[in-house]
Amino acid sequence: MFPRSSNRGRVAATAIASLVTLTVALGVFLDRSDANRGAASAVPCATGSATTCAMPSGSGRRGGGGLSTGGQPRLLEFTSASCAACARMAPIVDQVERRCLAEADGSLVHVSIDEPEGEALAERYEVRALPTFVGIDAQGAEVLRMVGVQTREKLASALGEVRGRACPPI
């Protein structure tokens, strides 16, 4: 009527092995998720060679983080005046903005975490390193994320994806 104890042992061993595999896979996924958010690779911006900068200590206060999208998708660029990687990105962002946005349509929003509103938005979108580019849809939901120094091509592609219109080749 009941399976033999050796069968129960095999079933239990299989169940345990499956649980261990699932746990390991979940751990790897979470590690990668954190890395994609910039938590693993961010360093303080004491040197100009950093490709990402850690969020300053003391940032991350809870706030509303309200952003009116005006019913339009946006690419948010999170920066700080003390971020060397952000300073290196500035001319690239300016060039992409001039090339892709013939008229100022508000598709690219510069967000300084040095300001209370920017800090609240960084908290809302779980920004852990700078620079971070977060694409949001018309309702404010995140649709893409890039952390660290980006190429002109990647930035133009992301802006085109968010806007729904490709940027001219750079």
Side-chain angles (χ1 to χ4, degrees):
M1 181 161 169
F2 292 102
R4 287 195 230 166
S5 73
S6 63
N7 285 343
R8 276 187 275 173
R10 272 190 251 136
V11 169
T14 301
I16 290 171
S18 296
L19 184 58
V20 168
T21 302
L22 180 61
T23 303
V24 169
L26 181 59
V28 169
F29 170 77
L30 291 176
D31 286 345
R32 286 185 182 155
S33 177
D34 285 346
N36 287 338
R37 295 215 180 268
S41 60
V43 295
C45 279
T47 66
S49 63
T51 58
T52 60
C53 302
M55 289 284 285
S57 60
S59 65
R61 292 186 308 245
R62 293 282 174 193
L67 171 72
S68 172
T69 64
Q72 300 294 317
R74 306 273 188 240
L75 182 64
L76 309 178
E77 175 200 20
F78 289 91
T79 64
S80 172
S82 63
C83 171
C86 300
R88 284 199 319 277
M89 277 299 303
I92 295 170
V93 172
D94 289 343
Q95 183 181 25
V96 169
E97 192 170 19
R98 281 193 312 274
R99 176 71 103 166
C100 295
L101 306 175
E103 68 284 342
D105 67 357
S107 294
L108 181 60
V109 179
H110 305 281
V111 180
S112 172
I113 64 145
D114 300 328
E115 302 295 324
E117 298 83 9
E119 190 175 9
L121 275 172
E123 176 69 20
R124 174 180 174 187
Y125 289 105
E126 300 179 10
V127 173
R128 301 287 180 254
L130 300 173
T132 293
F133 299 88
V134 177
I136 59 173
D137 64 16
Q139 290 75 39
E142 183 175 329
V143 295
L144 71 83
R145 176 177 295 251
M146 299 185 308
V147 178
V149 174
Q150 305 297 319
T151 64
R152 286 176 191 82
E153 295 77 16
K154 282 183 75 174
L155 191 57
S157 175
L159 186 56
E161 183 179 333
V162 167
R163 292 178 348 137
R165 298 187 304 272
C167 293
I170 293 188

